[in-house]
Amino acid sequence: MQYTEIMVRYGELSTKGHNKKSFIDRLGDNVRHALHSFNQVKVHAQRDRLHVELNGADYDQVMDRLKLVFGIQNFSPSIRVEKSFDAVAKAAAQMIEEQVDHPITFKIETRRSDHHFELDTFAMNNKLGGYLLDKFPDKLKVDVHHPDLTLRVEIRLNGIFLSSETIKGAGGLPVGTAGKGMMMMSGGIDSPVAAYLAMKRGVSLEMVHFYSPPYTSPQALAKAQQLTERLAKYSGSIRFIQVPFAEIQETVKEKVPEGYLMTVQRRMMLRLAAALMVKRHGLAIFNGESLGQVASQTMESMLAINDVTSYPVLRPVLSYDKTEIIKIAEEIGTYDLSILPYEDCCTVFTPPSPKTRPNVERARKYEQRLDIEGLMKRSLDGIKITNIHPGEDFLNQNEDVFAELL
């Protein structure tokens, strides 16, 4: 059956009040962006539903894209027929013929926005249900409470639309409706999951990745970029900000006691992320910290590190355990990349016995030995910003450096 439209149902957007239109408009823009390669597709974002006119496009490929768009509760491929009962009956019979190969229960669910059509919802339900029971007596049985199949009929001004399949969407809120945030992307398992969860709540993210050549290899940078590519399919594209960090780490290692190396390094990272957030008009900083998972993620460490900024630092995976985080990473396709061996800037300078309960006053005292303003300026002057789109292959671009890892 050649479907003519995909009908999209909203999730949380249905609970919005006066600002509902702005959420729907954003979702419409995000869907258009996700489907930009299908030139013939038209997207109409309306108050109660969003309609995707296929105009001959491959509906399986279009639906694969829609599954990744946050803000969609579910959607159904539909076929449009002329506004007559005979046309509806013929299309419904074809759907049953193609989709049902054993006895099932079913029901008809009609919506009528064209109140001039001769059959109201109750009459259409009865007449079409009776017709299908007569035509398929060995396949169909009515169950209006828990049917195996629901055949939906929408009577609109521009035709009658039939659908029989409901496909689960990504849920959440449209990316961009909650503002912009800066994601501290390490390249491990946790930060990509945190980024995914933030985007699901409507946040438009820019990835901030600290790299420290020659202490960190090209693999670490390429892997972080590839992880960003995996996440870009949920938002269309993501800006990736490379922040040089080697000079800061060398200076901290030289002038700060070993037990506070990690604390002071992370305070510097947070300062840089906050500076980028202000410069790029963000509203919050996000990271992949999970409470108690490692030494830097105790409440005392978080207090000591957060001391350098008054801006919000949000942690989407704070209360998740490692098993829960890994499960999400596998579902979104980042786990296989995250577990590739590498040395990032967080691991190459990690002391053997970092302070798990650092003191804020001591961290401030040790930082007085640093030219914080100068270090930050030189780091920020050296940033590189790229726009990463779905489908870019950073692994093959760095095939030689990844050969031993893969």
Side-chain angles (χ1 to χ4, degrees):
M1 176 167 287
Q2 181 58 48
Y3 292 105
T4 56
E5 176 185 293
I6 298 175
M7 180 176 61
V8 176
R9 302 175 187 87
Y10 306 135
E12 290 184 58
L13 303 194
S14 61
T15 66
K16 299 299 176 184
H18 296 299
N19 60 347
K20 181 176 179 178
K21 185 179 184 301
S22 64
F23 280 77
I24 292 173
D25 289 345
R26 170 66 74 168
L27 178 60
D29 288 341
N30 291 353
V31 170
R32 292 183 191 97
H33 196 82
L35 303 179
H36 74 280
S37 59
F38 300 94
N39 296 327
Q40 69 272 53
V41 166
K42 303 296 181 185
V43 177
H44 305 284
Q46 300 172 355
R47 183 169 180 81
D48 58 342
R49 304 283 174 85
L50 182 144
H51 303 283
V52 179
E53 292 182 13
L54 294 169
N55 296 316
D58 186 307
Y59 61 87
D60 283 323
Q61 293 181 16
V62 171
M63 289 193 294
D64 285 342
R65 300 279 183 90
L66 289 177
K67 289 175 184 176
L68 304 176
V69 179
F70 290 124
I72 294 176
Q73 181 184 31
N74 58 55
F75 54 89
S76 300
S78 308
I79 183 170
R80 186 175 81 171
V81 300
E82 65 180 52
K83 294 170 70 172
S84 72
F85 177 79
D86 289 343
V88 172
K90 181 180 178 181
Q94 186 181 351
M95 281 185 169
I96 299 299
E97 193 73 53
E98 293 181 2
Q99 298 177 21
V100 180
D101 57 6
H102 62 279
I104 64 166
T105 59
F106 84 112
K107 77 171 182 177
I108 309 295
E109 191 174 276
T110 302
R111 287 174 52 134
R112 187 179 66 147
S113 56
D114 179 5
H115 296 287
H116 296 292
F117 187 71
E118 57 187 356
L119 298 175
D120 63 17
T121 57
F122 184 75
M124 176 62 83
N125 289 345
N126 279 348
K127 189 172 182 179
L128 183 58
Y131 169 82
L132 293 175
L133 284 172
D134 290 341
K135 190 168 182 64
F136 302 101
D138 298 327
K139 286 187 176 181
L140 300 179
K141 182 180 179 181
V142 174
D143 183 347
V144 297
H145 299 294
H146 303 288
D148 299 316
L149 182 146
T150 299
L151 182 60
R152 293 180 172 84
V153 181
E154 291 214 4
I155 305 169
R156 301 187 219 151
L157 295 174
N158 63 333
I160 297 179
F161 294 78
L162 286 83
S163 62
S164 58
E165 185 179 8
T166 299
I167 298 164
K168 185 179 179 182
L173 297 171
V175 172
T177 56
K180 180 195 287 188
M182 314 306 289
M183 180 73 217
M184 298 173 71
M185 170 67 82
S186 70
I189 297 172
D190 302 341
S191 55
V193 172
Y196 165 82
L197 293 173
M199 287 192 291
K200 189 172 184 178
R201 300 312 305 157
V203 179
S204 173
L205 289 178
E206 293 189 352
M207 303 303 182
V208 179
H209 178 71
F210 299 93
Y211 73 111
S212 299
Y215 305 105
T216 57
S217 63
Q219 293 98 315
L221 178 60
K223 188 171 84 164
Q225 291 170 322
Q226 197 68 58
L227 284 167
T228 300
E229 181 275 333
R230 295 277 174 94
L231 293 165
K233 63 189 178 183
Y234 296 102
S235 60
S237 65
I238 297 177
R239 285 189 177 87
F240 183 87
I241 306 173
Q242 300 168 217
V243 183
F245 200 60
E247 182 191 3
I248 291 175
Q249 290 191 286
E250 290 171 340
T251 306
V252 171
K253 189 175 191 304
E254 177 187 347
K255 297 187 175 183
V256 173
E258 185 178 86
Y260 275 80
L261 286 181
M262 180 183 62
T263 302
V264 174
Q265 283 181 38
R266 290 185 181 273
R267 282 166 64 93
M268 292 299 294
M269 286 181 176
L270 189 54
R271 282 191 177 95
L272 289 166
L276 286 167
M277 186 205 80
V278 172
K279 183 177 181 179
R280 301 186 60 78
H281 309 292
L283 297 173
I285 302 159
F286 290 77
N287 65 36
E289 291 179 344
S290 173
L291 188 61
Q293 193 173 123
V294 295
S296 65
Q297 296 174 20
T298 62
M299 287 180 63
E300 291 86 350
S301 283
M302 291 180 188
L303 176 66
I305 295 166
N306 276 31
D307 174 60
V308 302
T309 183
S310 59
Y311 293 112
V313 180
L314 306 181
R315 301 170 173 86
V317 297
L318 181 76
S319 63
Y320 287 56
D321 63 34
K322 200 67 177 182
T323 302
E324 292 169 322
I325 295 171
I326 288 173
K327 183 175 184 294
I328 297 174
E330 291 172 337
E331 290 171 353
I332 65 176
T334 58
Y335 180 73
D336 60 328
L337 281 173
S338 294
I339 61 173
L340 290 175
Y342 75 106
E343 289 185 332
D344 70 5
C345 66
C346 295
T347 56
V348 292
F349 281 86
T350 300
S353 300
K355 288 283 185 181
T356 59
R357 291 176 170 79
N359 179 274
V360 175
E361 294 301 328
R362 286 189 181 179
R364 291 174 180 171
K365 176 183 175 182
Y366 296 140
E367 280 185 344
Q368 292 176 3
R369 306 174 183 178
L370 309 176
D371 174 18
I372 292 176
E373 194 171 311
L375 288 169
M376 285 188 59
K377 183 180 185 307
R378 289 189 290 277
S379 181
L380 292 171
D381 285 346
I383 67 171
K384 179 181 177 182
I385 302 175
T386 54
N387 211 25
I388 293 180
H389 297 85
E392 293 188 69
D393 194 343
F394 295 93
L395 298 184
N396 285 336
Q397 291 174 17
N398 296 271
E399 187 173 354
D400 293 338
V401 297
F402 268 95
E404 294 184 4
L405 297 179
L406 298 173

